[in-house]
Amino acid sequence: MTESVRTLAALRRHIASLDRAPAVQDAPRVAMGHAALDRMLGGGLARARVHELFGEGEEEGAAAGLGILLASLAAGESPLLWLRSAVAERTGGVPYGPGLAALGIDPGRLLFGVMADDAMLLRAAVDALRCPALGALVIELRGRAPLLDLTASRRLALAAEASGVTALLLRIGGAPVPSAAETRWRVSAAPSDPLPGNAPGMTAFHLHLLRRRSGSDGMAWRLVWDRERRVFGDGRDERHDFGSGSAGGDAPLPGALVPLPADRSAADRAA
């Protein structure tokens, strides 16, 4: 009995060491444009790695929006692929094409793959990450997702490192578990600064770093997306560029991408 307890404790220590182990080699970075965040990350978000984004309840739209924006930055001009399960599609609907265009993302560059279940989804994700022609991959998992254990996440990480493809693991309604992801974030929508005339401002997010492999964590930032320059900022430059206008005393307006529910009719979409 004592030997079993020691073996179990040793196994737990080994898993913990894998969870925090540094990557085999430093990865190239994609600068996001937010000076403080890029500096903390050593130049930007690591390419050829897996990054987890968590969104709870009403924040799933914010997590999805940030995920596709980060994937777009990482992909450059290469194709984007979004993999999800049939349950996820029925529950969350599909991203709204004009909403993607409003963020500066060409809907024609985004490919969707819908898998029967999470097991097939994770197998497809590994296969996709092994294709170096792909620019970036979004993997959407909902709920507890028990199949996404340390072994499964390690397979994803190894495939990403080998091909150079960046993966954004979108966790909707899930709780963090041991993972081989490079970074782990909690995402929520932030109020945007209204433009003159009280027009809707730029899309904004609250971003909280839950975990970073071999690095500090626990910090939080406000990110504002500039679709024209395709960079994130903290909103200061945007306020300076547009001036205070007549909207200075009005309440900020939200500005996060929200997926379209699957059961909405065409008439509802046009409304």
Side-chain angles (χ1 to χ4, degrees):
M1 181 64 179
T2 302
E3 186 63 27
S4 298
V5 171
R6 290 175 179 171
T7 301
L8 181 59
L11 181 59
R12 286 173 174 167
R13 288 194 298 272
H14 178 61
I15 291 175
S17 68
L18 289 176
D19 189 34
R20 288 286 182 174
V24 175
Q25 58 183 3
D26 192 25
R29 307 277 165 172
V30 52
M32 292 184 281
H34 190 291
L37 180 55
D38 284 340
R39 185 167 54 250
M40 188 279 302
L41 292 173
L45 196 71
R47 296 182 185 271
R49 299 290 186 267
V50 178
H51 304 276
E52 288 185 294
L53 302 176
F54 284 80
E56 297 288 340
E58 296 179 354
E59 303 299 347
E60 69 173 82
L66 183 60
I68 193 62
L69 286 174
L70 294 177
S72 177
L73 288 178
E77 298 301 319
S78 299
L80 290 169
L81 176 62
W82 188 327
L83 293 179
R84 64 202 317 217
S85 68
V87 171
E89 186 173 54
R90 289 195 300 269
T91 304
V94 296
Y96 188 42
L100 292 172
L103 290 175
I105 297 174
D106 180 5
R109 290 184 53 228
L110 181 59
L111 306 175
F112 276 95
V114 180
M115 307 296 122
D117 51 35
D118 284 356
M120 184 178 293
L121 172 62
L122 290 171
R123 289 196 298 269
V126 172
D127 288 341
L129 285 173
R130 289 171 176 163
C131 177
L134 188 65
L137 172 67
V138 177
I139 309 164
E140 180 183 347
L141 284 164
R142 290 179 172 259
R144 290 180 54 249
L147 295 181
L148 184 66
D149 55 14
L150 183 59
T151 300
S153 69
R154 188 59 180 160
R155 289 195 189 101
L156 295 172
L158 289 173
E161 291 174 17
S163 66
V165 179
T166 306
L168 283 303
L169 189 54
L170 186 58
R171 300 294 313 281
I172 304 300
V177 296
S179 167
E182 182 78 10
T183 59
R184 173 181 291 162
W185 311 84
R186 179 177 292 116
V187 185
S188 60
S192 62
D193 299 312
L195 304 181
N198 207 29
M202 295 181 178
T203 300
F205 305 90
H206 283 308
L207 191 60
H208 180 204
L209 180 58
L210 300 176
R211 174 184 168 277
R212 178 188 175 203
R213 289 170 68 86
S214 302
S216 57
D217 52 31
M219 295 80 79
W221 297 267
R222 178 175 181 264
L223 271 62
V224 177
W225 174 246
D226 185 333
R227 59 158 291 179
E228 299 299 330
R229 295 187 294 166
R230 292 189 56 79
V231 295
F232 287 101
D234 58 11
R236 296 173 184 172
D237 292 340
E238 291 80 358
R239 286 194 294 271
H240 176 74
D241 291 341
F242 293 110
S244 58
S246 60
D250 295 323
L253 303 176
L257 175 68
V258 179
L260 179 68
D263 57 354
R264 287 187 62 183
S265 66
D268 292 333
R269 297 189 188 107

